């Protein structure tokens, strides 16, 4: 009888120990997976040129360059732009702010968004579903106004679900920057020709 009890106890004890070991290592594996996803997201954000427009530029030692102290914080709220640019004659279609964060063209004026996880002015309250829908549909929050040029939505909507999750995880991991980006401006009203008294 004692031998039977001992025989039954060892498999149960072994299974409990195996289960405890598995549970103890599970958070480590999850953390490793999160770190790998964030690293993949950083790679995609960096190679997809997100900093070219969403990080304000300044003149550094090597000339114009992204100001990484404001990484991915969008158009600076302190740089107020009230109307579209007046383009010179010729084959010009758009103008850009010196920060590379505001663009003026036939659509009006677009301002690059704050992609940091600030909850009030950035993506802090966004979900992965909202982020994915925004990129896939080309609409703000996945259902609002159109995302305007120069955002390359036709290219970025081709990221697969895994890429979208990695990009979003990375954007949620960077330092939040409080910077309220203005809403887009409409195009300048078409000038109406002056009416003369002669007929």
């Amino acid at each position: 009888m004692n031998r039977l009890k001992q025989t039954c106890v060892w498999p149960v004890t072994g299974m409990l120990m195996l289960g405890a070991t598995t549970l103890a290592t599970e958070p480590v594996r999850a953390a490793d997976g999160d770190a790998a996803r964030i690293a993949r997201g950083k790679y995609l954000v960096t190679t997809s040129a997100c900093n070219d427009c969403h990080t304000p530029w300044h003149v550094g030692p090597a000339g114009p360059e992204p100001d990484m102290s404001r990484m991915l914080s969008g158009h600076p709220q302190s740089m107020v732009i009230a109307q579209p640019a007046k383009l010179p004659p010729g084959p010009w279609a758009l103008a850009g702010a010196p920060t590379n964060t505001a663009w003026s063209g036939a659509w009006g004026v677009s301002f690059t968004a704050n992609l940091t996880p600030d909850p009030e002015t950035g993506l802090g309250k966004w979900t992965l579903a909202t982020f994915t829908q925004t990129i896939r549909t080309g609409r703000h929050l996945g259902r609002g106004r159109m995302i305007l040029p120069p955002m390359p939505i036709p290219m970025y909507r081709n990221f697969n679900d895994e890429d979208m999750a990695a990009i979003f995880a990375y954007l949620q991991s960077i330092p939040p920057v409080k910077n309220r980006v203005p809403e887009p401006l409409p195009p300048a009203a078409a000038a109406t020709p002056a009416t003369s008294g002669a007929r």
Side-chain angles (χ1 to χ4, degrees):
M1 184 72 170
N2 283 343
R3 181 173 287 180
L4 180 60
K5 283 183 183 175
Q6 287 176 347
T7 309
C8 292
V9 167
W10 282 113
V12 172
T13 304
M15 288 175 65
L16 288 173
M17 289 178 65
L18 179 63
T21 305
T22 302
L23 287 173
T25 59
E26 201 57 43
V28 174
R29 286 188 195 145
D32 288 347
D34 290 345
R37 183 179 296 114
I38 289 168
R40 172 72 177 163
K42 180 178 182 180
Y43 168 77
L44 291 168
V45 165
T46 304
T47 57
S48 298
C50 299
N51 282 297
D52 284 5
C53 294
H54 289 272
T55 298
W57 285 50
H58 67 161
V59 177
E65 62 186 8
D67 177 0
M68 297 310 279
S69 71
R70 298 186 286 173
M71 182 177 72
L72 299 172
S73 63
H75 180 75
Q77 64 185 32
S78 59
M79 178 184 268
V80 177
I81 295 175
Q83 60 187 18
K86 291 182 180 165
L87 296 172
W92 302 106
L94 57 91
T99 53
N100 224 38
T101 57
W103 299 86
S104 181
W107 62 88
V109 179
S110 51
F111 301 97
T112 56
N114 182 347
L115 302 182
T116 76
D118 181 71
E120 301 305 321
T121 65
L123 303 183
K125 293 181 180 175
W126 284 43
T127 65
L128 172 58
T130 304
F131 178 76
T132 301
Q133 280 298 104
T134 297
I135 302 299
R136 292 266 160 78
T137 65
R139 292 188 171 277
H140 184 61
L141 295 171
R143 61 186 181 277
R145 62 169 173 77
M146 295 293 292
I147 304 293
L148 300 171
M151 180 69 173
I153 288 291
M155 303 303 122
Y156 288 175
R157 68 171 36 121
N158 295 307
F159 284 124
N160 62 34
D161 289 346
E162 190 177 335
D163 289 341
M164 292 282 195
I167 291 167
F168 187 71
Y170 171 66
L171 294 177
Q172 293 295 299
S173 77
I174 64 177
V177 178
K178 190 167 289 299
N179 177 53
R180 192 169 299 282
V181 174
E183 288 296 311
L185 299 176
T192 53
T195 309
S196 69
R199 295 191 180 234

